[in-house]
Amino acid sequence: MDSQLPLRILEAVGLLHRLGYYGLRVLPGMNASGTAWRIVIFNVTEWNFEDEFGDPYNAEERCLYSTAGQNVFNNDIQFPEDVSHVSVAEAILEAMPSLQRGMRQESGNQQYTNWYAMLLSQVHSLTDLPVAYADYFDDSLGWELGWCSRHRVPAPPKHLPAPTLSKRADSDEHYVLELCDQVLEAKRTGQQTFPWLVGDPSAKNGKVKPLPVDGYWAELGVVVEYHERQHTESVPFFDDKITASGRRRGEQRRIYDARKAELIPEHDLKLVIIDFKDFSNKRGKIVRKPAEDLRIVESILAQAMEDPAGNITR
């Protein structure tokens, strides 16, 4: 039986769109000989405007698959024959740590996600796999559903980034870190990584990935971690899923939080954890009161600066 993984991959991207990971795009096509279907999954934040398709194969974070590899995903993940699209979605998130949930309008990808839902509704079997490019293929006619089927659908909308795309200005994390910038009178480095702060090795290949911090002020030696709802409350859909390291996602998050709390101070940096519960909130989201919220952040940071240990980890 032919591998059903191509269908599960396409379904996984649709699932992640529905869960708020609106930045995902795919580029499917045929290899040079026309004997294997392949696909690359990438984050629209890495779009290269000098390339017609955004140059996804050169993206820093991407997932790859080819039917020539049967059930092997992203070069080293061997899936079982009956793999679910949820498991594939988990693998995509594991391979693309910079991919974040956000507001649909801030992704600059809103029209694309609507288009993708239309495309997915027309893919029912392996004979319907979409093709965006191939040798001697006229892509001006749109994508083909099923290689050599002549069944075309319009090409996806062009990527037009929203002004706030890279800043995630509507997210609570960005809002809180902006308040920290004001209090500290300095500009942070976001998603900073350190060679001594890494995740657990992959159970499959032993590779480790860096654990980025939310905000880092190098000249002050300050690290701020903003804890959203999932750091203290279970998110059932994903928390029970097994990650590449072999742990459940919820357990792994707790371990990584503890690792940051231990290692960051050991490297002479002040660690400040700001929780959504420090603010007026509703259903895990901050009810924004800028003047009041600024005073809250100012108090938390002042306590960290005055503490000889320099760490506020509630």
Side-chain angles (χ1 to χ4, degrees), residues 100-116:
Q100 299 288 335
R101 285 176 174 168
M103 302 294 290
R104 187 188 295 264
Q105 62 269 24
E106 79 176 343
S107 70
N109 215 30
Q110 181 173 0
Q111 292 184 348
Y112 177 85
T113 57
N114 294 336
W115 172 91
Y116 187 87

Side-chain angles (χ1 to χ4, degrees), residues 173 177 187-193 212-216:
E173 177 187 314
L177 294 175
K187 189 63 180 175
R188 71 191 177 280
T189 300
Q191 299 298 300
Q192 173 73 35
T193 59
V213 297
D214 294 335
Y216 173 54

Side-chain angles (χ1 to χ4, degrees), residues 21 100-101 226-235 239 249-250 253-254 257 276 284-285:
Y21 295 94
Q100 299 288 335
R101 285 176 174 168
Y226 175 66
H227 280 190
E228 298 177 289
R229 188 175 187 175
Q230 64 264 30
H231 285 266
T232 54
E233 300 178 21
S234 176
V235 181
D239 276 5
R249 180 172 291 276
R253 184 186 299 114
R254 290 189 291 274
D257 285 346
F276 79 95
K285 295 293 184 182

Side-chain angles (χ1 to χ4, degrees), residues 112-182:
Y112 177 85
T113 57
N114 294 336
W115 172 91
Y116 187 87
M118 175 278 298
L119 176 78
L120 197 59
S121 71
Q122 299 190 48
V123 178
H124 306 293
S125 69
L126 295 174
T127 59
D128 301 325
L129 296 179
V131 174
Y133 67 91
D135 285 0
Y136 310 109
F137 180 77
D138 186 357
D139 58 33
S140 68
L141 301 176
W143 288 20
E144 190 171 52
L145 288 183
W147 181 228
C148 296
S149 70
R150 297 185 180 180
H151 177 197
R152 297 278 187 143
V153 295
K158 292 184 177 181
H159 173 49
L160 299 174
T164 59
L165 179 62
S166 61
K167 294 184 178 180
R168 297 179 64 228
D170 287 335
S171 71
D172 283 350
E173 177 187 314
H174 178 77
Y175 172 69
V176 170
L177 294 175
E178 284 280 288
L179 294 176
C180 292
D181 282 344
Q182 293 181 49

Side-chain angles (χ1 to χ4, degrees), residues 180-186 215-224 268-274 297-314:
C180 292
D181 282 344
Q182 293 181 49
V183 173
L184 296 173
E185 298 183 343
Y216 173 54
W217 290 260
E219 64 274 27
L220 300 173
V222 172
V223 171
V224 171
D268 297 323
L269 297 174
K270 297 180 178 68
L271 172 62
V272 183
I273 294 177
I274 301 179
V297 170
E298 187 173 20
S299 174
I300 293 171
L301 290 173
Q303 185 181 350
M305 295 303 183
E306 293 170 2
D307 188 336
N311 302 299
I312 303 297
T313 57
R314 298 180 305 285

